[in-house]
Amino acid sequence: MAENYKIIYKEGTGELVEKKSRFIAQIRPVKSEEEALAFVEETRKKYWDARHNCYAYIIKGEGATPTARCSDDGEPSQTAGKPMLDVLLGEEIRNIVVVVTRYFGGTLLGTGGLVRAYSSSTQAGIRASVIITRIRGLKLNIKTDYNGLGKVQYILGQRGIKLIDSIYTENVELSVLLPLGEVKTVEAEITEGTNGRVKMEEGDECWFAQIDGEPQIVA
């Protein structure tokens, strides 16, 4: 299982006008093909008078290979859905659907023009969205006395690890989120740095991300 991948945290909409044709790209996070296709239908109803509603989506799933689908929705083959999907694959974003609605402006764009328009509008939609990296990790609880607190804080600070919780009583309890690949290394550094005086407890595995510069558990 991949230890991290990018997802959409906040959806966005991008727009492009090319030779009077209007391209509206809507991005939404989804967790299944059913959700993705439901959004496609929702968009088709919203823009019922548009010439085309092309789409592409990638669903992470449980296996190593994600599920990827796309549709040209009446545009010439390989000029809409495939370029849109290529953008998503290039950005390495998962659990995402994009629908690009086209209002025809009366001028044919040609194969190359369509590919550029659908790719560019998809990119505009992504730029208007907020993307985060979903990381496989776990919560580590650290218990120390005040003598060891400074050393623990120094080690965490050197690695750029921010606290998600802290409790100060007669001792100190700190909680952090760590990628799975860093857990043993951080534990070893803390143990060595405090001469084994610190107690550490690993929580269950979870997914987390840096959101607005702060680590948070995400679904």
Side-chain angles (χ1 to χ4, degrees):
M1 179 183 292
E3 292 191 353
N4 60 73
Y5 57 91
K6 291 189 285 187
I7 61 171
I8 296 296
Y9 180 62
K10 291 183 181 179
E11 59 196 57
T13 300
E15 190 167 328
L16 173 73
V17 177
E18 184 69 26
K19 294 183 180 179
K20 297 183 179 180
S21 277
R22 183 185 177 200
F23 296 84
I24 306 167
Q26 295 186 94
I27 304 286
R28 179 172 289 187
V30 290
K31 294 182 179 179
S32 66
E33 288 192 81
E34 291 76 15
E35 282 188 34
L37 294 173
F39 179 61
V40 173
E41 289 306 311
E42 176 186 322
T43 304
R44 283 175 174 160
K45 290 178 181 178
K46 180 180 179 180
Y47 296 109
W48 58 271
D49 56 341
R51 179 72 67 90
H52 306 281
N53 285 286
C54 307
Y55 67 83
Y57 62 81
I58 302 178
I59 309 299
K60 175 64 176 68
E62 295 301 324
T65 303
T67 299
R69 300 281 188 273
C70 62
S71 169
D72 295 311
D73 193 35
E75 292 281 29
S77 178
Q78 305 290 300
T79 63
K82 180 62 163 52
M84 292 161 60
L85 183 60
D86 286 343
V87 171
L88 302 187
L89 290 170
E91 294 287 344
E92 298 183 340
I93 303 173
R94 302 294 182 261
N95 293 350
I96 179 177
V97 58
V98 54
V99 181
V100 176
T101 299
R102 180 190 183 189
Y103 283 94
F104 183 57
T107 301
L108 296 177
L109 301 183
T111 300
L114 286 172
V115 170
R116 287 190 296 273
Y118 279 100
S119 298
S120 297
S121 55
T122 300
Q123 291 166 344
I126 291 174
R127 288 194 300 270
S129 306
V130 177
I131 301 170
I132 60 175
T133 299
R134 196 168 181 251
I135 303 167
R136 189 69 172 173
L138 56 77
K139 180 180 178 181
L140 180 67
N141 295 314
I142 306 165
K143 297 181 180 180
T144 179
D145 57 25
Y146 285 89
N147 291 328
L149 177 60
K151 188 62 179 181
V152 172
Q153 290 175 324
Y154 175 79
I155 293 170
L156 297 178
Q158 285 292 99
R159 286 185 161 271
I161 300 169
K162 293 187 176 181
L163 300 178
I164 61 169
D165 194 18
S166 59
I167 301 174
Y168 292 83
T169 55
E170 65 273 13
N171 290 303
V172 182
E173 295 184 26
L174 307 174
S175 297
V176 296
L177 292 169
L178 299 175
L180 288 180
E182 296 182 17
V183 173
K184 297 306 179 185
T185 300
V186 172
E187 289 178 342
E189 287 184 5
I190 292 175
T191 298
E192 181 180 351
T194 61
N195 294 320
R197 295 194 307 270
V198 170
K199 293 182 179 180
M200 289 174 282
E201 181 180 347
E202 297 178 4
D204 294 334
E205 290 187 12
C206 63
W207 291 99
F208 73 95
Q210 299 289 334
I211 301 174
D212 296 328
E214 299 296 329
Q216 297 182 33
I217 294 176
V218 296

